[in-house]
Every structure is written in structure tokens, then in C-alpha cells.
């Protein structure tokens, strides 16, 4: 791969220079050369393989997530990073139990469902009730309570497939809020069409909105139906008008468990107190092995940082900090813990970004920085653009775990991955290693290593 | 669709005539015109939709399969067929229970499995043992018992994707026999890599060989792993050498339940005692809704026969008999019952065929007839070839349920479907209606209606 990369860089170098005002051509050349090495060993893929095989599913607050932290500490130390440590935090822990649903009338048959994270249990005998369908969360909100009382509400909203993942925010709204609105209306349970884009018969789990800080659980029992099962239910409702359904969910909630963020660094030199933060999250949902969400991100940022470290035995100007967040899936708990623990240091966070959108290739480099620093921040993506990414806008989220530090003023950028197929796998049992193309991981590592190298060695500021 | 079909037929008619020695050009013209009507209402698709929605899964010998028979009798009568009846038979009934597996050492994590049909139970606490892997059934057969004693045997044989399904026979061997060979060697359970071609995380069920007629169950508990889980187990065995696994299977076997074949006819005229048999099977595995296996076949043959009936208010020369077999999946029980019940009538079965290979388009028309009747039998496929099928050989099976009547001397033909993707879905929860393209069903109905029309109105014999 490296010789092909080199050719591409030679051809595209003139173009990328146009954006490179605050970064010296020499730095940029070194970043490009670094990117060219990403395919040589594919450490990124080896890390995803190792995490998904040796730990597998790693739900926040469980013993499996603790093993993931041990795995990460061990790997980060072996790779030679400095200041490797865990920053622990507590959180309420929700664990899945039995999940089972069956149409009882008019056409008895089982349905494939999965409990939403945070769902209350139905009790071991389940609930049986007539189904009432609404086409959207808005329709549920507007429905008169007398139509919902005693019913199982079916929210049949379809998610749109998009490259940038913009369909997710809309579709995930029903997952986050339906159980609470249904409870207010007097319903006994809620089923949603999975927040996902695949027709394969997997139900997509995902967190409901956390209403309370005390870990107390609210809302009616809530589960997602796979797309074929949502189609089936919809078809029967359309032809027969009425469906009765029984569902059993027996999740359990513990008031407190342990999670933690795993942190490692490449110490800086002239500007060691300035931090370039690169992140991914270590936890995953319990159904798959967390390959695209977010084993891929872990492999990408760690391998990219390792390349930068190896290329600069003298150390970069600024400190590069890897943060592998815990408990992202259950509500960005690790992100919040990090922002709190490092509040007095955030003004020294120069730029930050997280890789958490699967294993697709990067197609856009976007920023969220001061208006007059956009070109300077875009210069950090010059090699990323050489690899095929477009220049994006200035409203990047930087990734889910960047939320609190971004809101605290830390400039973020986004190495935006192609998410066209991401929600086929997202939060399902089907999120496994075989869905990842090793060459795509190498592409991401190439892009990230160039970004980390430039951000850690540039002298620009982006606030 | 009909105008496009007409054009194709006009263009190809000269070619197809070359094979049409025993069939008059006028008959062939009428068959081609009939085929051209298949897209007009798409009754075939409507039937698959109705069966998979209103009955859903319909495992042999269960109440759900009984509902499928009621559905079939009702539909066949409404459509206007004659002599609609059920020919019941008894069989031992196996039903799935809990199925669950987990690696306990070195990397604890759940695995996706499904019990093989006919598997013995592990008991509610399951079995826990070290795994020993073999690459094939042959390797299992050759293994020294001391290496297998007390172990869970993992048969990691991969199935080859082929258009004609020829990879299935090889791969299904391990499903049929592994539990019995493993038992002889002293193993405590067996896991096989699913007999299937998809990387989606579904385990493929399917029947083990029936060793006894009395319904008694033999063999160690046996389950299939999904392909990603088989990969995972293989990866851990390769890196660590040893894996301990716990599995729980609680299927139950009842000595006797009811099944039946549903039969309907278009009575013949001049040669009413001569029978053209067209079949599909009504039962399905319990995991999916039996859309491609074999709701599609039911829709195709019933809709095609209906077209022939409607085109000939006067009735065809020969009797067309639709047989919707029960209990195919669990060992061709309905096929055997039919062959026994109709033994004295089989010499009057002129030609027979079953549609049971999914919903793909037909790419080959093949025969299994007397050597000197090959051309005559191929003439029954003249319009099928016009639709894009090649002339196949003379070793057609005619479909699984044709086994016993073929062995009793009934000539069979095969309207061979493209099975490239069939084993992605076969015997999994993912075998649902949405996987079927309605236009493909219309293509099949066109082909089958021309074949039925020609076979029922020709005066050739194929023995």
C-alpha cells in the first residue's frame, strides 16, 4: 500500500498546499510520508481483532468492560505510550435479561425484539395487550391518552439511510423518548421499529434517555423490533386492524457499578502542556462484539498515535493524549467524567477528535473552531484531503464523546467516515469483526496519523 | 410485464421450435401467451405474502403447520381448484427449547447458536467441556476416540457458494451425521459451522439424519454456530490452543403428532387418469417465516396452476395435481407418505416437479426421464428456455419431495432456480418475505405456467 500512497501524495501535494498556510511544507511532507506507512503492518486492524476476540462484548459497568480496560492498559503500555492509566467513575448498570415477543392474535407467531438500554422490566410473565400504531414520535406525543391507555404502542418510524449519519438523530429520537411519553399516556409497553437501515432480521438496541441522575428507572418496558418484524406487524395491522401481542423483558438495574476512561500519552516537548486529544470508546453494546462500534475507532486512533510516536523519537511539540472512553453507549458517562476531571486543563486542549462512526473511509474533514481559525484548522486536514476527503463545514461534533469538552470550548475537528452501511450493523448482534475491511482501517490510520502529527507539531490555535 | 414477454416470445419462438417435436406449434404458442400473463396480478407473490404473514413459521407436526394446511385448503378452494383435500399422516415431533452457548475460558463471551433438528437435549444446566476442532466430517470420522472423549467437537467445515446449490450436499453431511459420529467417539456435544453462505450472524438450523423409525432420539446434543461465531471460535483456538465452552439445549421430542399433504387438482379431460404433479412444501423451519423456503414454491406452483386453469375453462387433457407437502424439512416425511398412499397410481404420473429452491429466477431446465425421451421432455421446457433458461442434463432430482416417486419410476423435470443467495437465508430467522423480489416470483410463475400447460396438454410419455 505504501508505494501507491506515495504516488497519490506526489500527485495531490500541490492541491493540499493551497490550504496549508500555518503549517510548514516540511511538516506537511512528513505527515504525508507518515500516512504512507499505515498499510505496512495494519496495527489498527490487529487491535480491533484483538479487542473483539479477546474481550468481545463489553457493556458499560460490567466485568467485561473491566476486562476491556485491562486489555487497553496492557496494549497501550506494550506499545510504548506514557502515563497509561485508568480514570475510574461509577454509574448505574443496566443488564439485559430475557427478551421475547409473540403475536397472540390474529396470527400467532414469534417476533424478534431486543430491549432498549434502560428499559424497565415487564415481570417474568410479561404483558399482553392490544397494539396501537403511530407513525412517528410526534404522532405519539399528539395522541389522545384514551387511545393509548392499556395498549402496547408501536412507533413505526423508518430511518433514512445517509452517508453522513444524519438519519440517525431523527430516528433515535423515538428510541430515547417513546417509553416516557407512552407512560404518560397510560400505555403498558412500547415497541419501536429498530433505529437502523438493514432488512436483516436483527433488532437494534440503544440507550433510552436517562431521566434521572440517581439511576432510578422510569418509563414503560421498551423494545425494538427488527425491520422484517416491524413490516410484519404493520402488514397485519393494515389488513386486520387489530393485533394482540405478548412481550416479556426482564432486564435488571444495579444502582452502581464501575467504569473508567483509559488514558495514554505521547509526552510533548516545547509545548508539553498543550494537549491534542484523540479518542474512541472502549465500551460496546452487549449484543455484538463491538467491532464497528467502536473497536474500529480504538484500533484507528491507537495505531495512528503509535505511528506518530515511532516517527518522532524526540517527541512531538505538544502532548498527544489518547482517551478510550468508558460507558459511551449508555449516555456519554465517560465523556462527562473526563470533562469534569480535566475541567481546569481544558483550556490547554488545543484540538480534539474522536473516531466513532464505524470502519468506513473518511470522506470529509470538518471543523468546529473559531470563525477566523477555520483555515488554520483545515490545514490540519491537508493530508486527509489528499486521501480523498472533502473540506467540510464548521459545525463538526468531533464525535459523541467530544460533547462536554466541545461545549466547554475545546476546538474539535471531524474525520468524517462514510456511514452508508454503518446503521446496518449498529447495536446489533451482527456487529462483528468480519464486517470490517482491513484496507479501510489502514486508510483511517493513514488519515489520523497525518492529522495527529500536524496537530501535535503545528503552532496554531483554533479558539 | 406482458407486452415485454410477448416481444421476447415472438423473437425467440423460432429457436424454441427446434426442440418442439412432440408438441404442436399451436400448443406452444398458447403456453407462451400464458407465460406472458404472469406479471398481471402476481398472485404468486400475494400467496407467499399471505402464507408468511398469516401463518408465519410452520414447523412440521405443530399447531402452526396445521394452520398452514387450513390456509392452503381455504386458498385452493377459493381459487377454484377441484378435489381439495388433506392426506394426513403421523410423525414424531421435535420442538426447539432454550439454546445458549458461551465461551467460559479463556475469553468469556456468548456465541450465537441454534439446535439442529432432532438434537437431544443437554439438560437445563447444559454441558461444559473443552472444545476440540476438526476441519471436516471425514476428519471427525478418522479421529481417535481418545481425542474426542468428554469433549465438545467443533466441525469447522465451510460451505461453498454455488449457483446450482451443489455446495449444500457436501456441507449438509456434517449436519446430518456429526452428532452420531461424535457420540460413538465419546464426545459430549457437537457444534458445527452453519450450513450456509452468509456472514450475517444467524445460525442455520436443519435436520439431522433420522436413525430410527420409532422417533427415538440418538446422538449427542448438536447445534450450529453462525459464521462470525465459528470464525471467533476458530481464531481463539488458533491463538490459544484451548477453549472451554458451555452450551444449553432443551429441545423436546413427542413420539407422535399430525402432519399432512394438501392436494388440489385441475381435472383432466381426454386423459383424466394421467397426472402431471407439481409440488412445493408447506412446512418450514421454526426460526424464520419460511418465505424463500418454501413459501415461494407454494406461491409459484399454485399461481401457475391457477393460470393454466383459467386459460382452459374446458380443462386440460391430463389432470394437474398440486401437492403441498407437509413435513419436508424434518426428513421428507410427506413425500414418503404421498408415495405410499399413491403407490398404485404412480404409473399414471406422467411427469412431476417441485419448486423448492427459493425465489431466484430459473436458469436451467433439466430432466430425469428415459434416455430416448429426453428431447420430448425438453419440449415441455421450450417456453422456460425462452425466458432465459439453458437446456440442462438428464439427472434432475425434480426437487426434494420428488425423491420417492422418482425412485418409483416417475419421470421428473427441474425448473432450476438461481440459488446463489439461497443459502444466505436458508433455515435462519432471516428467511422473511422482504427477501423476495416480486418480479422474480412473476418470472417463476410464467415459466411454471408454460411447463404445466404443455405437460398437461401434450400426448408424450417420458418413461
Amino acid at each position: 500500500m505504501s508505494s501507491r500512497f506515495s504516488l497519490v501524495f506526489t500527485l495531490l501535494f500541490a492541491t493540499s498546499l493551497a490550504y496549508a498556510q500555518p503549517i510548514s511544507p516540511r511538516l506537511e511532507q512528513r505527515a504525508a510520508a507518515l500516512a504512507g506507512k499505515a498499510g505496512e503492518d495494519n496495527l489498527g486492524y490487529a487491535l480491533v481483532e484483538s479487542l473483539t476476540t479477546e474481550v468481545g462484548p463489553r457493556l458499560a459497568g460490567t466485568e467485561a468492560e473491566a476486562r476491556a480496560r485491562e486489555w487497553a492498559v496492557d496494549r497501550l503500555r506494550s506499545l510504548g505510550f506514557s502515563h497509561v492509566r485508568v480514570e475510574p467513575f461509577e454509574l448505574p448498570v443496566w443488564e439485559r435479561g430475557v427478551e421475547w415477543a409473540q403475536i397472540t392474535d390474529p396470527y400467532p407467531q414469534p417476533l424478534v425484539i431486543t430491549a432498549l438500554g434502560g428499559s424497565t422490566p415487564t415481570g417474568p410473565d410479561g404483558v399482553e395487550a392490544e397494539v396501537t400504531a403511530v407513525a412517528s414520535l410526534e404522532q405519539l406525543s399528539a395522541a389522545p391518552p384514551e387511545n393509548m391507555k392499556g395498549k402496547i404502542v408501536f412507533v413505526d418510524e423508518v430511518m433514512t439511510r445517509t452517508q453522513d449519519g444524519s438519519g440517525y438523530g431523527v430516528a433515535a429520537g423515538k428510541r430515547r423518548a417513546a417509553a416516557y411519553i407512552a407512560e404518560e399516556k397510560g400505555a403498558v409497553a412500547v415497541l419501536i421499529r429498530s433505529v437502523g437501515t438493514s432488512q436483516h432480521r436483527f433488532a437494534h438496541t440503544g440507550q433510552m434517555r436517562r431521566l434521572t441522575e440517581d439511576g432510578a428507572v422510569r418509563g414503560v418496558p421498551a423494545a425494538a423490533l427488527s425491520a422484517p418484524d416491524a413490516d410484519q406487524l404493520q402488514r397485519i395491522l393494515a389488513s386486520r386492524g387489530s393485533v394482540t401481542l405478548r412481550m416479556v423483558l426482564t432486564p435488571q438495574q444495579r444502582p452502581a457499578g464501575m467504569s473508567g476512561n483509559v488514558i495514554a500519552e505521547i509526552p510533548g516537548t516545547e509545548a508539553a502542556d498543550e494537549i491534542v486529544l484523540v479518542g474512541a470508546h472502549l465500551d460496546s453494546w452487549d449484543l455484538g462484539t463491538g467491532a464497528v462500534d467502536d473497536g474500529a475507532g480504538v484500533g484507528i486512533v491507537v495505531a495512528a498515535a503509535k505511528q506518530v510516536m515511532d516517527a518522532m523519537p524526540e517527541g512531538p511539540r505538544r502532548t498527544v493524549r489518547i482517551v478510550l472512553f468508558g460507558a459511551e453507549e449508555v449516555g456519554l458517562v465517560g465523556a462527562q467524567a473526563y470533562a469534569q476531571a480535566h475541567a481546569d486543563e481544558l483550556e490547554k486542549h488545543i484540538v480534539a477528535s474522536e473516531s466513532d462512526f464505524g470502519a468506513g473511509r473518511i470522506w470529509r474533514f470538518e471543523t468546529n473552531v473559531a470563525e477566523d481559525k477555520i483555515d488554520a484548522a483545515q490545514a490540519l486536514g491537508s493530508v486527509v484531503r489528499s486521501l480523498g476527503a472533502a473540506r467540510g463545514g464548521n459545525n463538526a461534533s468531533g464525535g459523541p464523546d467530544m460533547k462536554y469538552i466541545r461545549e466547554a470550548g475545546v476546538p474539535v475537528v471531524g474525520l468524517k467516515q462514510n456511514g452508508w452501511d454503518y446503521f446496518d450493523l449498529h447495536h446489533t448482534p451482527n456487529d462483528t469483526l468480519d464486517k470490517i475491511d482491513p484496507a479501510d482501517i489502514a486508510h483511517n490510520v493513514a488519515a489520523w496519523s497525518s492529522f495527529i502529527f500536524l496537530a501535535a507539531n503545528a503552532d496554531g490555535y483554533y479558539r
Side-chain angles (χ1 to χ4, degrees), chain A residues 178-196:
Chain A
Y180 309 113
I181 302 174
E183 183 175 43
E184 283 167 19
K185 307 266 180 183
V188 296
V190 77
L191 279 173
I192 64 168
R193 179 183 282 270
S194 277
V195 177

Side-chain angles (χ1 to χ4, degrees), chain A residues 221-239:
Chain A
L225 281 165
S226 87
D229 291 270
D231 293 349
Q232 184 84 322
L233 187 52
Q234 201 279 328
R235 217 162 19 236
I236 302 175
L237 284 166
S239 70

Side-chain angles (χ1 to χ4, degrees), chain A residues 45-56 71 75 433:
Chain A
Y45 184 78
L47 288 167
V48 193
E49 177 174 335
S50 171
L51 175 60
T52 57
T53 305
E54 296 168 30
V55 181
W71 174 92
R75 288 304 182 287
L433 179 66

Side-chain angles (χ1 to χ4, degrees), chain A residues 293-375:
Chain A
D293 188 13
D294 182 29
V298 170
I300 290 163
V301 299
V302 172
K306 165 76 172 158
Q307 277 203 192
V308 172
M309 183 168 65
D310 288 352
M312 307 193 80
E314 73 284 11
R317 272 191 80 240
R318 291 165 171 160
T319 293
V320 174
R321 179 178 290 171
I322 300 168
V323 184
L324 303 180
F325 293 92
E328 187 271 348
E329 295 292 3
V330 299
L332 311 180
V333 187
Q336 194 165 25
Y338 180 88
Q340 282 166 0
H342 296 267
D344 58 4
E345 202 187 25
L346 292 185
E347 65 183 23
K348 288 297 202 172
H349 282 53
I350 303 305
V351 63
S353 191
E354 182 180 32
S355 176
D356 180 24
F357 201 52
R361 298 203 175 202
I362 295 165
W363 67 291
R364 204 162 70 189
F365 185 84
E366 55 195 27
T367 59
N368 196 335
V369 300
E371 282 298 317
D372 61 342
K373 300 292 168 54
I374 293 175
D375 281 351

